[in-house]
Amino acid sequence: MQRLLTAAILAPPFLASMLLGPTWVFMSMVTAGVLLAAWEYTRIALPEEPRHPAAATLPAKERPGRGLLGMLPILVIPFAWGLREAMTEGRGVAALAAVVAIALPVAVLAARTSLEHGFRTVGAFAFGLPYFALPVLAAWELRESDPWLVFLAFAIAWLGDTGAYYVGRPFGRHKMAPRVSPKKSWEGAAAALAVSLAVALLWCHFRLGEIRPVLLGLAVVTSVAAQIGDLAESMFKRGSGVKDSGTLLPGHGGLWDRVDGVLFALPVLWLAVLWLDPALLSP
């Protein structure tokens, strides 16, 4: 019940900003959610690192300061903007990647990160930066192209997850990845895929006035991406001995728990749209 109540309270203003409000209002909400999720990620990635924000629970003498990973949420938006600008220049993306690859070890050294955590910090940061920046960029680009494409991505991820939850719990018999997420089943995954196809069919009917197979294919790919994103977060949490990323959303856990599928679904749908003929997605 808490799960449904939380969704009923938060969904209407978010959908209104997505479909009716100006872009800056919607992107402000997306950015706030992603940055909170990124902060939860940093707390889980290196919880025992004394210079990590999670070390605030330690005695003062054992807290020499925040480390590099604590800076990740601050850099997500500049990185997303830099990636957007780099995409307009031929080799800009490669140059940006090279700068990040060189800067990270230097930053770890400058932050005086403990030797036993240096390699883990670089890995967590190198993954976390594009992991959280790409969905912000994808949401911006899709919103500028067609707000209803953003709606499609979120609907596939969230409604598919809901279908997996309510089918997988009572009927799930064949475990998908028991070591990563014991409660996820192939029956739940099939339900998520079926819900995603239903969402795409309704989207085609009301948005385009006809059923276009390419949209059904996009729904399948986006649904698979969302489910992989969910499993990826479960892998990170289980490896760190954490059940939920936080307690901000009653019935859901933390922000990261709620957007884990969207973080994969948005970039995948955006890249697919870039490769397709725009006429295939237009009314």
Side-chain angles (χ1 to χ4, degrees):
M1 181 60 70
Q2 276 189 329
R3 188 182 181 96
L4 293 176
L5 183 60
T6 300
I9 294 173
L10 297 180
F14 182 69
L15 291 175
S17 71
M18 179 193 299
L19 300 174
L20 304 174
T23 299
W24 71 266
V25 173
F26 170 67
M27 287 309 302
S28 296
M29 298 183 72
V30 168
T31 299
V34 169
L35 294 186
L36 282 171
W39 180 73
E40 292 173 349
Y41 167 87
T42 65
R43 291 175 62 243
I44 292 172
L46 291 175
E48 73 278 16
E49 168 59 58
R51 289 182 171 80
H52 183 267
T57 58
L58 298 175
K61 64 180 181 180
E62 299 179 33
R63 294 189 269 120
R66 293 188 175 185
L68 172 66
L69 198 58
M71 295 293 294
L72 188 145
I74 300 173
L75 298 176
V76 164
I77 303 307
F79 184 81
W81 185 260
L83 185 58
R84 184 172 188 264
E85 293 299 310
M87 289 177 61
T88 64
E89 307 171 9
R91 287 171 287 186
V93 176
L96 182 63
V99 169
V100 172
I102 295 171
L104 272 177
V106 174
V108 169
L109 289 170
R112 301 177 63 187
T113 304
S114 57
L115 292 178
E116 61 270 26
H117 293 132
F119 189 64
R120 291 174 58 191
T121 300
V122 170
F125 202 101
F127 172 77
L129 195 55
Y131 175 59
F132 291 105
L134 275 172
V136 175
L137 175 58
W140 174 278
E141 294 293 337
L142 287 173
R143 178 61 163 71
E144 289 291 285
S145 174
D146 182 357
W148 285 97
L149 286 173
V150 187
F151 174 83
L152 180 63
F154 276 92
I156 287 173
W158 283 349
L159 294 180
D161 181 62
T162 300
Y165 180 81
Y166 285 106
V167 170
R169 288 192 71 183
F171 303 112
R173 297 293 181 269
H174 302 85
K175 302 303 180 184
M176 179 185 293
R179 292 185 61 190
V180 174
S181 185
K183 294 183 179 180
K184 287 184 172 58
S185 64
W186 286 107
E187 288 84 357
L193 191 60
V195 170
S196 299
L197 283 171
V199 167
L201 286 169
L202 290 172
W203 193 93
C204 285
H205 176 73
F206 290 104
R207 181 65 180 160
L208 305 178
E210 60 178 336
I211 305 301
R212 296 182 186 173
V214 66
L215 261 299
L216 302 185
L218 282 182
V220 170
V221 172
T222 305
S223 176
V224 171
Q227 294 187 60
I228 293 174
D230 194 342
L231 282 172
E233 193 227 8
S234 296
M235 176 181 67
F236 299 144
K237 291 190 301 182
R238 185 160 294 274
S240 301
V242 176
K243 183 179 184 295
D244 294 321
S245 67
T247 58
L248 185 62
L249 302 177
H252 294 274
L255 245 299
W256 191 22
D257 293 319
R258 182 66 285 189
V259 301
D260 51 5
V262 174
L263 292 176
F264 274 32
L266 275 171
V268 166
L269 182 60
W270 170 53
L271 290 174
V273 168
L274 284 179
W275 293 332
L276 290 174
D277 180 353
L280 294 174
L281 307 175
S282 302

